[in-house]
Amino acid sequence: MAETVGLDDLDQATAAFARVRSRLFGIAYRMLGSVADAEDVVQEVWVRWQTYADRASVTNPAAFLATTATRLAINATQTARVRRETYIGPWLPEPVDTSADPHLGAERGEALGFAVLLLLERLTPNERAAYVLREAFDYPYRQIAEILRVSEPAVRQLVSRARKHVATERHTPVTGAAQRELLSAFVVAARSGDMAALEEILSADVISLSDGGGVVRASRFPVVGRPRVAKYHRAFASRFWEGVDVSPATTNGQASALLSKDGVVFAVLTVTASAAGIDQVLWMMNPGKITAAGSV
């Protein structure tokens, strides 16, 4: 959409930025899986925008700002990967409260769910950027090519490779209602330590991942396979769940559970599921990564 030409006034520049801020955050968050890192990108975009010497020549501020955010996010992705090489235990995307989708500003929910975000971690930064811009925000290939400074055929290849990777690695998800029911059933079974009930709702190749970031006590290794995952959750049922309150939440567009003690949230639990049952059990327990998930 065309924007006002000649934004040489700071008030106009501020207004132009405010109109697309949620989209900039949505792009950066999907690229980085971190609220703090995404906010840093958005802040840097603002700094560059308000100090840009030639704002009057920018005929499409929204495109200019999205381009800046994407390129900064690509750079941040490369830095984040280096940091994650020394991350203690499994790394999970930071949950974001999307009950009203106040921040992400996407036309669609693609590249927002935990399963897809985890798969995108394996892509190159350019593949990830192309996928996010195309699938989540429906940018035309031509504009993505300009943002990434590559040819349009190259962009089509980037998006195609990313789509194939996601389609190959990801099981077909169940409906939101079914995912919510499986999450509730998992909480009940895990809380009671019911081995049979756990095995009934888990897929054969289920994986349980716990992100404590080395800050709190959490499993530092993935737990894989129906029998092991069921036994793992039965083993700590009695001590873990004592005094725990469970509240429903919507994070990253899917049902989650906020676990709290004495009114303080200490974990965000969610599951991804297919027709075979629960494929992933995701425990976010790193205190620094649960603040954006909501409160009880």
Side-chain angles (χ1 to χ4, degrees), residues 30-289:
R30 286 169 172 81
M31 288 285 295
L32 300 167
S34 163
V35 172
D37 289 346
E39 289 287 6
D40 286 345
V41 167
V42 173
Q43 181 61 27
E44 180 61 23
V45 173
W46 166 240
V47 169
R48 295 190 180 197
W49 176 234
Q50 68 174 330
T51 58
Y52 188 60
D54 197 22
R55 275 202 311 270
S57 68
V58 178
T59 59
N60 190 333
F64 179 91
L65 293 167
T67 297
T68 305
T70 303
R71 291 174 182 170
L72 287 172
I74 287 173
N75 293 337
T77 298
Q78 295 165 335
T79 302
R81 285 188 172 182
V82 173
R83 291 202 311 266
R84 287 168 196 166
E85 289 177 358
T86 59
Y87 196 82
I88 299 175
W91 178 92
L92 293 176
E94 181 176 355
V96 180
D97 181 3
T98 51
S99 56
D101 196 20
H103 302 298
L104 298 185
E107 285 79 5
R108 14 175 130 174
E110 282 302 314
L112 182 60
F114 295 109
V116 174
L117 286 176
L118 284 169
L119 289 173
L120 295 187
E121 281 291 303
R122 305 176 192 175
L123 302 181
T124 67
N126 271 11
E127 286 174 339
R128 188 165 187 165
Y131 183 90
V132 166
L133 293 172
R134 182 64 183 171
E135 297 298 294
F137 296 97
D138 201 27
Y139 276 74
Y141 288 106
R142 175 189 52 76
Q143 189 172 355
I144 299 173
E146 293 172 357
I147 290 172
L148 299 183
R149 297 184 178 127
V150 298
S151 67
E152 187 171 328
V155 168
R156 292 182 180 276
Q157 289 183 346
L158 289 170
V159 173
S160 177
R161 285 200 298 267
R163 283 173 174 165
K164 287 178 182 177
H165 175 76
V166 171
T168 301
E169 296 293 330
R170 185 189 185 193
H171 297 154
T172 302
V174 296
T175 64
Q179 185 259 346
R180 190 177 304 109
E181 291 176 3
L182 284 167
L183 174 63
S184 297
F186 176 83
V187 170
V188 171
R191 190 164 202 159
S192 63
D194 189 331
M195 184 78 171
L198 284 168
E199 290 189 326
E200 184 177 349
I201 58 176
L202 300 174
S203 68
D205 58 352
V206 62
I207 182 170
S208 177
L209 299 169
S210 304
D211 184 338
V215 181
V216 298
R217 190 173 182 179
S219 176
R220 296 189 178 186
F221 301 96
V223 183
V224 183
R226 180 188 291 137
R228 289 184 177 181
V229 171
K231 289 177 183 177
Y232 171 74
H233 288 92
R234 182 186 63 177
F236 63 75
S238 59
R239 64 180 184 276
F240 178 85
W241 291 96
E242 184 176 357
V244 173
D245 293 317
V246 181
S247 302
T250 303
T251 61
N252 294 61
Q254 59 195 100
S256 299
L258 303 182
L259 309 187
S260 62
K261 285 187 178 181
D262 302 321
V264 178
V265 175
F266 69 91
V268 179
L269 168 65
T270 193
V271 301
T272 65
S274 65
I278 294 174
D279 301 312
Q280 295 175 321
V281 182
L282 306 176
W283 295 90
M284 176 52 71
M285 303 181 72
N286 186 336
K289 295 172 67 175

